[in-house]
Amino acid sequence: MRGFIRAPQNFLSGIALIALAAFAVWAIRNLSQGTLTSIGPAMLPRWVAVGVGLCGVILVIASFFEDGAPLERWSVRGPLFVCLGMLAFAIGIGSFGFLVAAPLAMVICGFGSNEVRWKELLIFALALTAFCIGLFRYALNQPIPVLILPGFSIEI
């Protein structure tokens, strides 16, 4: 792949961005974009996807003209634990609330690297959880469940 394509890493990154943008546009195809005076639920996601896709196109085109990094070996460990962390968050927020789901997801994601410092990760997870509860629950007034215990939900 190194002959015609001078920057294989940029080429594959561009293809991945184009695929991600195409999936996003497909996923919101049934939502109304609206107009600039009456913005619909699909306007921001659609235009962000278009921007991501255009960045992908630029990377693909540039990969033919500029020298770049070759493809490197990669491990499935990082993406696997990040996906598991997202899944744990999605399940945990409905079952246990944000106070449990957010730090749990961050700790699971930490298993994706062998360079993680667990003490720092736990401090970061707890601080970010507190910040997000303050931001989303109080500043933005979003109805996220903070803590769910069997039989009731705590709305702090």
Side-chain angles (χ1 to χ4, degrees), residues 40 52 76 80 99 109:
V52 167
V76 75
L80 173 70
L99 192 61
C109 289

Side-chain angles (χ1 to χ4, degrees), residues 23-35 38-47:
F23 174 74
V25 169
W26 173 81
I28 60 172
R29 69 190 180 283
N30 294 330
L31 296 176
S32 168
Q33 179 168 312
T35 64
S38 178
I39 295 175
M43 183 171 283
L44 181 64
R46 182 171 288 130
W47 286 104

Side-chain angles (χ1 to χ4, degrees), residues 38-151:
S38 178
I39 295 175
M43 183 171 283
L44 181 64
R46 182 171 288 130
W47 286 104
V48 168
V50 167
V52 167
L54 287 175
C55 289
V57 168
I58 291 169
L59 276 174
V60 168
I61 292 171
S63 71
F64 293 111
F65 299 108
E66 298 176 7
D67 289 329
L71 292 177
E72 299 175 359
R73 293 182 55 99
W74 59 281
S75 170
V76 75
R77 179 180 175 178
L80 173 70
F81 279 104
V82 169
C83 289
L84 288 174
M86 289 189 296
L87 185 62
F89 181 80
I91 293 169
I93 195 159
S95 303
F96 306 109
F98 194 84
L99 192 61
V100 174
L104 177 65
M106 287 183 251
V107 168
I108 291 172
C109 289
F111 284 104
S113 172
N114 56 358
E115 300 174 4
V116 68
R117 293 179 274 201
W118 291 102
K119 184 178 178 182
E120 292 176 8
L121 178 64
L122 289 173
I123 292 169
F124 173 75
L126 294 174
L128 189 59
T129 299
F131 173 77
C132 288
I133 289 172
L135 175 66
F136 294 114
R137 183 72 181 105
Y138 300 112
L140 298 175
N141 202 23
Q142 296 296 308
I144 60 169
V146 175
L147 180 63
I148 299 173
L149 298 173

Side-chain angles (χ1 to χ4, degrees), residues 2-28:
R2 186 68 178 174
F4 185 60
I5 299 172
R6 295 171 61 182
Q9 205 171 67
N10 287 352
F11 179 78
L12 286 180
S13 298
I15 295 296
L17 289 177
I18 292 168
L20 178 67
F23 174 74
V25 169
W26 173 81
I28 60 172

